[in-house]
Amino acid sequence: MATPTLDKADAAGAPEPGFADSPYITATFRVRRFNPEISAESVWEDFQLEIDPKERVLDALHKIKWDQDGTLTFRRSCAHGICGSDAMRINGKNRLACKTLIKDLNPEKPITVEAIKGLTVLKDLVVDMDPFFQAYRDVMPFLITKETNEPTRERLQSAEDRERFDDTTKCILCAACTSSCPVFWNDGQYFGPAAIVNAHRFIFDSRDEAGEQRLEILNDKDGVWRCRTTFNCTDACPRGIEVTKAIQEVKRALITRRF
Amino acid sequence: MKIHKYDTVIVGAGGAGMRAAIEATKRSRTAVLTKLYPTRSHTGAAQGGMAAALANVEEDNWEWHTFDTIKGGDYLVDQDAAEILAKEAIDSVLDLEKMGLPFNRTPQGTIDQRRFGGHSRNHGEAPVRRSCYAADRTGHMILQTLYQNCVKEGVEFFNEFYVLDQLIVEIDGVKHSAGVVAYELATGEIHVFQAKAVIYASGGTGKFFKVTSNAHTLTGDGQAAVYRRGLPLEDMEFFQFHPTGIWRMGILLTEGARGEGGILRNKDGERFMEKYAPVMKDLASRDVVSRSIYTEIREGRGCGPEGDHVYLDLTHLPPEQLDAKLPDITEFARTYLGIEPYTDPIPIQPTAHYAMGGIPTNVQGEVLSDNTTVVPGLYAAGEVACVSVHGANRLGTNSLLDINVFGKRAGVAAAEYSAKVDAHIELPEDPAAQVVTQVERLRNSTGTERVAAIRLELQECMDANVMVFRTEQTIKTAVEKIAELRERYLNVSIQDKGRRFNTDLLEAVELGNLLDLAEVMAVSALARKESRGGHYREDYPTRDDVNFMRHTMAYREVGDDGTESIRLDYKPVVQTRYQPMERKY
């Protein structure tokens, strides 16, 4: 006999038993399309879908690509908010398509989906991530210790010292924060929140010995002082990192030189 | 077409690929080709931890870990490899800590450890705290730490380069690796990478199942590339079904949840694992727990109106403990199910999780072209490979360990080989021919079949017929269905005919890989007339060490008339000090 439960789960496309309280709905997805092989201009295109509102926006994009228009292009991988591939602007806010349920988007109205801002759009929802990763690399995002003789065992770290930088270890480099930042939109030179978050992760790690160097990098004219504390980044972070707070802590460390 | 020349080329930038890259870059001119940006790989989705007998919180040693790994793998594990895995685990964890990995800490400031399925004190006496962890984000931390160190070492990445073919050249009757052929997603351009050594670290094949914890991108690309070039695949019938996937979605909820005290319950609220595994209970090995869950469901004790799932109950654990130790999985329950795990049990079902089988290698990561012959210049590590340290069933936390131990070993071995050989092997004439043909055929096809439809039928067929329970009849059904789908795949067409970021084309290529590998899995499963670890045959419910304590080796054969078939052969299991025993938890 076949594995028992799955026959029922297989009934994709029809309302599932046990979900009688949430029937399928018809929703419109308004996607900003761009393909320079076809046109230099982007255009909005509407797609209508029958979909369970408890599904993810990523599920909707897959349904469009698989059943309606195979040319729709976006990045995705894990589909549950861990890999950071599918940050996009959904109803005007930066989110991960795989962590956003349709029911939370007021699906009575068309749901808009477009590429994140401030990075060059290459095709549909795909942007050039290279400047984003360059800013990340610029803050020296790796543990630096001066000791030449490595310990045989692990370095000791108290649970409190470990907790000090816990929040910023959660970053998945999805660029939702950086591409929500008005300063970054207006001036691509700014490091952006994600790079500062990753600098914070090491500056406040008790094992690291290059905090001063990193602070000097961020003291640059394109560094932390460009932050205008609009909190867009904190709102955008799909991992719940208090990004603006982390940037403030870096600013404070620059003034007090204590971290 | 562009031709590049490197000493070492690594295919894949997950944990195994980046661990290898850190070593290879120090020793040789290295390129990493990855179809995703490095931090997107599925290593990041691993949650619970990485096993190592550090003995930081209670007595433990690597010999106990070796035994648990062999027993967990139902004695199909190569025991010499398991010993290396358990012994090198300790330095492997310490290496990561020195690279900066933020492990959770004990009150003394050492790396904290917790319980995990199948890991025991003194050969099965009681659960032991062996899993080194960082909340329920251990894989994420490993992936980030390895990427950080790749940045530090200046590793050269080719992001969104998709390897489609392995170049093999025969010299004096021995197959050698000459390099790989890759497709650049951004431009549609074909690239040939000539390399003295190639390491596959491209991950698993989970997307041939429908309910799976695997990413959309886990389509067995590395396995398919070498298999099509006549190299064998080992133990492909062994696939792990993780007990606790989110009901219907398959999203992983770590075994660490049970390690922290979580309990599985049926519709009567009964802690049913006490019946099936009196000592280890909810922390028995994954194959045992998954079968127990489905036994409960089949016997009418499943939960919900359809009786098609059971509960993972965390409600008796203090909210502070959930927040500190299991923050991500509790958030998944809130986000995707609208459930508050402080107060409500979480509906779960087993989810297709991990390929124990893969490209056969020895303990240096060298790929084998038969039971013993090494393919000079070809290496594999991580889920794509089969060393075999996991045998018929992998223990939780041994995969993050595997990628680090054998990723490092493959990286070192490949780079040393690159340094040792004088010259590159000459490329075959027109090296990109096969890839050009494949890509152009898909791009220009006017067939009527759709990729998504065939893929869904494949996934539904695999879930129904070769999942936790198998019989001759269900496997034969799968074999026939896969053959039909492979036939229909020849008539598949895509809508995107462009060159720029053509993910429509890549999904078609990936489906071809899944179909080939699903067939190998089903054919291998049909021939194994016993039950062992993750391969459970209801028509042969016991383990048969006389006839089947051996690894399956599957080869693709092409007849003179072009017809393809699969030839099965077998390889002995390496046994050192552990005699097979009945497996009880």
Side-chain angles (χ1 to χ4, degrees):
Chain A
M1 196 194 106
T3 306
T5 62
L6 300 166
D7 308 345
K8 292 149 196 156
D10 284 350
E16 293 178 342
F19 282 109
D21 54 330
S22 64
Y24 273 38
I25 58 162
T26 304
T28 301
F29 285 80
R30 184 163 290 167
V31 184
R32 194 201 280 273
R33 307 292 307 270
F34 173 67
N35 184 354
E37 285 183 306
I38 294 168
S39 165
E41 301 294 319
S42 67
V43 289
W44 290 98
E45 186 173 357
D46 283 4
F47 298 93
Q48 297 242 315
L49 286 179
E50 296 290 312
I51 197 158
D52 181 337
K54 287 199 298 306
E55 290 199 73
R56 298 159 272 200
V57 170
L58 179 64
D59 297 318
L61 294 174
H62 273 144
K63 280 190 204 299
I64 295 169
K65 184 174 181 66
W66 294 342
D67 302 337
Q68 298 187 28
D69 185 350
T71 68
L72 180 66
T73 303
F74 48 93
R75 292 189 177 108
R76 90 288 187 255
S77 188
C78 79
H80 65 286
I82 293 298
C83 77
S85 297
D86 64 349
M88 45 191 84
R89 212 168 147 79
I90 299 166
N91 279 357
K93 283 177 73 173
N94 279 9
R95 317 171 198 242
L96 297 183
C98 62
K99 267 191 105 170
T100 307
L101 303 192
I102 291 158
K103 69 180 174 62
D104 299 328
L105 289 171
N106 185 19
E108 272 99 80
K109 289 187 182 162
I111 294 165
T112 62
V113 182
E114 57 192 310
I116 48 177
K117 284 173 77 172
L119 293 160
T120 308
V121 180
L122 301 176
K123 184 178 174 184
D124 292 346
L125 305 172
V126 173
V127 299
D128 179 8
M129 292 293 285
D130 283 350
F132 173 81
F133 277 100
Q134 187 55 52
Y136 167 80
R137 286 192 291 268
D138 286 345
V139 302
M140 303 193 299
F142 38 82
L143 189 75
I144 298 174
T145 55
K146 298 200 175 86
E147 65 210 13
T148 48
N149 195 4
E150 288 237 309
T152 343
R153 291 288 300 195
E154 69 264 49
R155 292 185 190 84
L156 298 183
Q157 183 169 51
S158 71
E160 295 70 42
D161 282 347
R162 166 64 181 79
E163 183 60 26
R164 179 66 189 87
F165 63 102
D166 187 63
D167 201 34
T168 46
T169 64
K170 296 188 300 199
C171 176
I172 55 174
L173 299 168
C174 67
C177 61
T178 294
S179 64
S180 74
C181 173
V183 180
F184 183 79
W185 296 338
N186 294 332
D187 179 357
Q189 299 299 306
Y190 174 46
F191 279 96
I196 301 170
V197 160
N198 281 280
H200 178 283
R201 179 251 170 273
F202 289 100
I203 292 167
F204 293 93
D205 184 337
S206 59
R207 300 169 298 174
D208 186 79
E209 296 176 87
E212 288 287 350
Q213 273 171 275
R214 288 194 185 84
L215 285 174
E216 274 322 302
I217 293 169
L218 295 175
N219 202 15
D220 184 88
K221 64 178 168 48
D222 297 315
V224 285
W225 305 114
R226 303 290 306 277
C227 169
R228 289 288 170 267
T229 328
T230 53
F231 285 90
N232 282 21
C233 49
T234 300
D235 290 343
C237 180
R239 303 284 289 153
I241 300 170
E242 294 182 274
V243 181
T244 315
K245 183 179 166 203
I247 297 172
Q248 292 303 102
E249 287 179 351
V250 171
K251 287 180 183 170
R252 200 173 310 126
L254 264 168
I255 294 165
T256 63
R257 295 286 161 173
R258 281 169 55 188
F259 48 88
Chain B
M1 183 185 81
K2 272 190 193 148
I3 295 187
H4 310 254
K5 210 166 176 177
Y6 283 85
D7 291 331
T8 307
V9 161
I10 298 171
V11 182
M18 292 203 285
R19 189 67 190 82
I22 289 166
E23 301 301 327
T25 297
K26 289 175 187 165
R27 296 169 171 85
S28 65
R29 188 158 178 269
T30 300
V32 180
L33 315 187
T34 168
K35 76 170 175 178
L36 303 167
Y37 273 83
T39 55
R40 311 303 184 215
S41 107
H42 215 52
T43 296
Q47 297 166 354
M50 172 169 166
L54 299 183
N56 278 1
V57 289
E58 61 181 311
E59 187 187 357
D60 197 9
N61 64 63
W62 62 258
E63 192 274 323
W64 294 352
H65 185 186
T66 308
F67 170 80
D68 289 338
T69 299
I70 292 164
K71 177 184 171 188
D74 222 348
Y75 296 90
L76 196 70
V77 172
D78 286 318
Q79 299 188 0
D80 56 339
E83 187 168 317
I84 289 170
L85 182 81
K87 214 187 269 187
E88 295 184 9
I90 295 163
D91 275 344
S92 183
V93 165
L94 298 177
D95 280 352
L96 286 171
E97 194 284 325
K98 288 167 198 171
M99 286 185 206
L101 197 139
F103 284 108
N104 277 42
R105 300 289 174 152
T106 64
Q108 292 74 38
T110 57
I111 294 169
D112 198 9
Q113 299 187 271
R114 68 174 162 210
R115 291 174 178 170
F116 235 81
H119 290 280
S120 74
R121 173 162 55 85
N122 194 18
H123 313 99
E125 262 179 24
V128 74
R129 293 172 65 181
R130 185 178 290 147
S131 166
C132 309
Y133 67 98
D136 55 357
R137 316 185 169 113
T138 316
H140 164 77
M141 299 300 189
I142 288 178
L143 193 67
Q144 297 294 327
T145 300
L146 291 175
Y147 183 59
Q148 289 156 6
N149 281 270
C150 284
V151 170
K152 184 179 178 183
E153 298 294 338
V155 171
E156 189 177 353
F157 288 100
F158 289 80
N159 295 327
E160 299 181 321
F161 273 58
Y162 194 120
V163 169
L164 294 184
D165 195 14
Q166 165 64 38
L167 297 174
I168 297 278
V169 175
E170 269 197 40
I171 303 171
D172 301 330
V174 177
K175 290 185 166 86
H176 286 64
S177 169
V180 297
V181 185
Y183 175 93
E184 185 182 2
L185 185 57
T187 61
E189 192 164 7
I190 308 281
H191 298 255
V192 174
F193 286 81
Q194 190 178 14
K196 292 175 180 172
V198 171
I199 306 172
Y200 279 91
S202 47
T205 61
K207 264 330 233 196
F208 53 39
F209 288 101
K210 184 162 181 236
V211 176
T212 174
S213 64
N214 280 206
H216 287 284
T217 41
L218 286 170
T219 51
D221 311 325
Q223 293 90 326
V226 303
Y227 173 68
R228 289 204 192 106
R229 289 296 185 177
L231 298 177
L233 295 177
E234 180 176 351
D235 289 344
M236 290 294 281
E237 65 271 39
F238 293 101
F239 206 91
Q240 176 165 87
F241 303 93
H242 192 291
T244 54
I246 289 183
W247 178 42
R248 292 186 173 163
M249 298 184 82
I251 296 172
L252 179 69
L253 299 178
T254 177
E255 195 166 295
R258 283 168 284 139
E260 292 293 337
I263 292 170
L264 296 171
R265 297 190 191 280
N266 61 20
K267 71 169 185 186
D268 304 319
E270 182 193 6
R271 183 180 194 180
F272 58 84
M273 280 312 299
E274 287 177 333
K275 291 184 297 195
Y276 301 97
V279 177
M280 297 292 280
K281 299 188 178 83
D282 298 279
L283 289 175
S285 69
R286 289 176 177 174
D287 58 325
V288 172
V289 180
S290 286
R291 275 194 296 280
S292 305
I293 291 171
Y294 273 134
T295 303
E296 290 296 302
I297 289 171
R298 284 172 155 199
E299 293 177 358
R301 294 186 293 279
C303 307
E306 305 292 316
D308 61 356
H309 57 277
V310 299
Y311 286 129
L312 173 63
D313 183 3
L314 306 174
T315 58
H316 54 293
L317 301 176
E320 312 80 69
Q321 186 183 353
L322 297 183
D323 292 349
K325 303 292 182 68
L326 303 167
D328 278 2
I329 64 143
T330 45
E331 194 197 312
F332 295 156
R334 291 179 193 118
T335 303
Y336 296 113
L337 294 168
I339 276 177
E340 177 46 69
Y342 295 160
T343 51
D344 294 309
I346 307 169
I348 58 98
Q349 72 178 79
T351 180
H353 187 54
Y354 187 87
M356 271 73 75
I359 303 172
T361 73
N362 61 22
V363 295
Q364 308 306 333
E366 295 173 301
V367 171
L368 304 175
S369 61
D370 56 31
N371 285 3
T372 51
T373 312
V374 163
V375 181
L378 194 58
Y379 299 78
E383 191 174 346
V384 73
C386 181
V387 183
S388 162
V389 287
H390 307 306
N393 171 63
R394 173 175 71 71
L395 286 191
T397 67
N398 269 357
S399 64
L400 289 179
L401 177 55
D402 177 9
I403 59 177
N404 279 286
V405 168
F406 289 99
K408 179 177 178 179
R409 280 179 158 252
V412 171
E416 285 179 351
Y417 176 82
S418 300
K420 193 179 75 186
V421 296
D422 294 334
H424 286 72
I425 289 174
E426 209 170 309
L427 290 171
E429 202 178 321
D430 201 0
Q434 181 168 311
V435 169
V436 171
T437 309
Q438 180 188 11
V439 167
E440 289 311 312
R441 186 183 68 75
L442 285 169
R443 212 197 299 271
N444 299 324
S445 168
T446 53
T448 51
E449 293 285 352
R450 296 298 310 271
V451 168
I454 295 179
R455 184 175 49 215
L456 183 61
E457 285 185 47
L458 171 69
Q459 292 169 336
E460 291 180 344
C461 162
M462 296 292 279
D463 276 14
N465 296 302
V466 288
M467 218 173 157
V468 172
F469 291 111
R470 302 167 177 180
T471 67
E472 173 141 343
Q473 192 200 328
T474 65
I475 302 171
K476 277 187 172 160
T477 304
V479 170
E480 282 162 24
K481 180 70 181 178
I482 294 164
E484 175 213 313
L485 295 174
R486 277 166 55 89
E487 196 60 35
R488 284 168 53 192
Y489 177 72
L490 298 174
N491 195 29
V492 87
S493 68
I494 55 174
Q495 291 177 311
D496 194 337
K497 309 290 186 188
R499 305 208 166 262
R500 193 180 178 88
F501 279 96
N502 192 336
T503 52
D504 204 21
L505 173 70
L506 284 191
E507 285 193 34
V509 170
E510 290 170 334
L511 175 61
N513 295 343
L514 289 176
L515 285 166
D516 282 1
L517 299 171
E519 186 180 39
V520 175
M521 178 196 231
V523 168
S524 303
L526 190 61
R528 185 173 284 275
K529 295 178 175 172
E530 65 155 354
S531 290
R532 186 185 293 272
H535 171 72
Y536 191 83
R537 290 279 301 256
E538 290 187 273
D539 41 356
Y540 299 95
T542 53
R543 200 174 74 199
D544 176 359
D545 288 340
V546 175
N547 294 303
F548 288 106
M549 209 173 98
R550 52 188 192 170
H551 300 290
T552 307
M553 299 285 274
Y555 296 81
R556 175 175 178 265
E557 304 258 295
V558 183
D560 293 336
D561 58 350
T563 52
E564 290 177 34
S565 60
I566 297 171
R567 175 173 65 86
L568 296 184
D569 195 3
Y570 292 92
K571 186 172 90 164
V573 173
V574 178
Q575 206 178 318
T576 56
R577 64 169 108 166
Y578 301 98
Q579 288 300 317
M581 293 187 296
E582 193 193 346
R583 207 164 55 123
K584 285 184 184 160
Y585 283 100

